[in-house]
């Protein structure tokens, strides 16, 4: 049984494909990018394919936490926050390659470990 709120799970299934992924650099400067290649692996992990990251990758490698903003039907917004891992080989990388459309380069796999989920200002997990 999943720990994720049922409303979030339904929203995930009906979400808009593009999401916003945010990180910060070592000086606290935020960076946000559009991401399209995202997969909910289980109730603790979301995986994001690195197809074109530059500043985002530098932030991740420097230890940034991350936030993923998802828009669901009726313009509902969910923000998923957590710590990040980055892999260019091994099981997480192979997992990303298994679901990623081959037209994308997929040079690395970002795993967002879900620490909290917000629906607007309300913390739902």
């Amino acid at each position: 049984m999943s720990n994720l709120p049922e409303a979030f799970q339904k929203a995930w299934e009906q979400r808009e494909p593009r999401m916003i992924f945010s990180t910060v650099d070592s000086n606290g400067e935020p960076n946000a990018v559009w991401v399209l290649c995202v997969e909910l692996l289980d109730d603790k992990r979301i995986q994001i394919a690195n197809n074109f990251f530059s500043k985002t990758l530098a932030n991740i490698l420097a230890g940034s936490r991350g936030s993923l903003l998802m828009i669901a039907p009726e313009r509902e917004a969910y923000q998923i926050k957590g710590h990040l891992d980055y892999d260019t080989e091994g099981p997480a990388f192979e997992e990303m390659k298994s679901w990623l459309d081959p037209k994308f380069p997929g040079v690395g796999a970002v795993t967002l470990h879900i620490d909290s989920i917000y629906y607007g200002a309300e913390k739902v997990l």
Side-chain angles (χ1 to χ4, degrees):
M1 178 172 232
S2 176
N3 288 334
L4 297 174
E6 186 176 337
F8 172 80
Q9 292 179 59
K10 288 180 182 178
W12 180 269
E13 293 301 319
Q14 299 174 22
R15 74 189 185 282
E16 292 184 11
R18 276 187 271 155
M19 293 180 245
I20 299 171
F21 180 45
S22 300
T23 57
V24 296
D25 69 15
S26 58
N27 296 317
E29 186 72 24
N31 184 64
V33 296
W34 287 107
V35 290
L36 183 62
C37 303
V38 180
E39 186 79 10
L40 178 65
L41 300 178
D42 54 40
D43 64 351
K44 296 180 187 334
R45 301 174 302 145
I46 294 175
Q47 201 168 56
I48 305 162
N50 172 9
N51 293 313
F52 306 105
F53 295 162
S54 178
K55 288 182 279 184
T56 299
L57 178 57
N59 293 348
I60 293 167
L61 296 176
S64 178
R65 292 175 46 81
S67 176
L68 188 64
L69 180 66
M70 172 186 86
I71 303 297
E74 307 300 323
R75 309 307 291 171
E76 297 175 336
Y78 284 89
Q79 187 177 169
I80 305 104
K81 299 180 181 188
H83 59 283
L84 305 169
D85 287 331
Y86 186 75
D87 295 283
T88 56
E89 58 185 23
F93 181 76
E94 294 304 322
E95 187 168 35
M96 180 267 303
K97 285 296 201 178
S98 75
W99 57 260
L100 183 65
D101 186 323
K103 72 181 177 186
F104 295 106
V107 297
V110 178
T111 303
L112 186 150
H113 298 271
I114 302 169
D115 293 331
S116 59
I117 299 175
Y118 288 81
Y119 173 66
E122 178 188 0
K123 186 174 183 178
V124 296
L125 178 73

